[in-house]
Structures are given as structure tokens and as C-alpha cells.
Amino acid sequence: MIKFHDIKVGDYLMADNDGDILQGEVTDLNGDEKQVCVDTGTQEFWFETSQLQPIPLDEDQLARLKFTKQENEDGSVKFMKGAFRILLHSKGEFSNMEIWYRDERRHIIQPLSVHQLQNHFYEMTKVHLNDEVFS
């Protein structure tokens, strides 16, 4: 389950609509009822946080978010989108990474979900991370 205060408009999550689990984008938040409106591509629905799941961050998700990948000789992998960087110290190891934007660096020592990366990205760049290309 995801905590309501960790969810932002624009975040990507998995939503369970009576057993049909779909990836979608948060389009609205209702703080009074602690409900989240998610657009699953077909329609927008309101969900309780108990019906939402995080999307684990992996290479496929970074590719969907339009990051470019650079494999380094030392076995590390760098992902780039504009001036934002993610460095995995070893390929496929998403539980120990560094992220940075300009002079701000963060060392992450636990696996992130997509919405958590989106929130770090926004805090650091003041731009929302989505699947649009930019340089």
C-alpha cells in the first residue's frame, strides 16, 4: 500500500479495479476522503490507497520514461534524461544507486518505485518526470 501523502498528481501507479490491475497516471487527489483519481488510459477512476500499488523501478520503466542508457567499463550503468542522472553501481542493482541533478546528489540505498523516482526528480529539477522526451 502507498501512503496518501507520498502521491502526487502525475505519478504513475498500478490501480486495482476489481481484480483488473492497470498502470495509470494520477490526475487528481481528494485529501478529505484520501482518494486518488487515476487515468488508466481508458477512463479515470477514484481509488482508495489500499487499491494502489507502486510500480517497481527497473530498466524497462526507465526506458518508458525516456531515459537513455550508458553501460560503463567498470560494470556500472548510467541513465540520463536531460541533465538528470542515475548511476547504478552494478547492472540491474536498483537498491544502491546515486541520482543527481547539477550539484545536488542523493545516494539511494533501497529499491525505489517509479512514483518515488518521479518525486525525487521533481524535488531536484522542479519539472515533473513523465514519458515525454526532453534534453
Side-chain angles (χ1 to χ4, degrees):
M1 185 167 82
I2 301 172
K3 295 178 184 173
F4 182 81
H5 70 272
D6 291 337
I7 302 171
K8 311 283 186 269
V9 170
D11 284 353
Y12 296 139
L13 303 170
M14 299 297 288
D16 184 348
N17 186 13
D18 294 328
D20 191 16
I21 299 174
L22 301 169
Q23 182 171 325
E25 182 177 352
V26 175
T27 57
D28 201 0
L29 299 168
N30 179 341
D32 294 335
E33 302 290 325
K34 302 283 192 247
Q35 292 181 326
V36 180
C37 188
V38 178
D39 183 351
T40 60
T42 324
Q43 193 172 357
E44 292 183 337
F45 293 100
W46 286 94
F47 295 92
E48 304 292 327
T49 55
S50 61
Q51 296 172 284
L52 302 174
Q53 301 170 22
I55 302 168
L57 184 63
D58 59 18
E59 285 193 33
D60 291 338
Q61 291 299 323
L62 289 174
R64 288 178 104 179
L65 293 168
K66 307 295 190 273
F67 277 85
T68 57
K69 177 181 172 182
Q70 173 187 317
E71 293 191 30
N72 302 317
E73 291 179 15
D74 64 359
S76 65
V77 181
K78 187 185 297 184
F79 295 91
M80 301 160 283
K81 185 165 183 171
F84 188 87
R85 303 287 186 261
I86 299 171
L87 179 68
L88 304 181
H89 297 284
S90 57
K91 186 176 183 175
E93 182 55 52
F94 283 85
S95 62
N96 182 12
M97 69 180 96
E98 290 180 52
I99 60 175
W100 70 91
Y101 178 73
R102 297 187 179 155
D103 10 343
E104 184 176 355
R105 285 185 170 268
R106 297 181 183 183
H107 190 103
I108 310 294
I109 55 172
Q110 62 190 14
L112 288 180
S113 59
V114 171
H115 79 280
Q116 290 170 321
L117 177 64
Q118 288 178 291
N119 294 340
H120 279 290
F121 189 94
Y122 182 79
E123 289 168 6
M124 296 170 80
T125 67
K126 304 302 182 229
V127 174
H128 188 73
L129 175 61
N130 57 27
D131 58 7
E132 295 176 13
V133 177
F134 72 88
S135 47

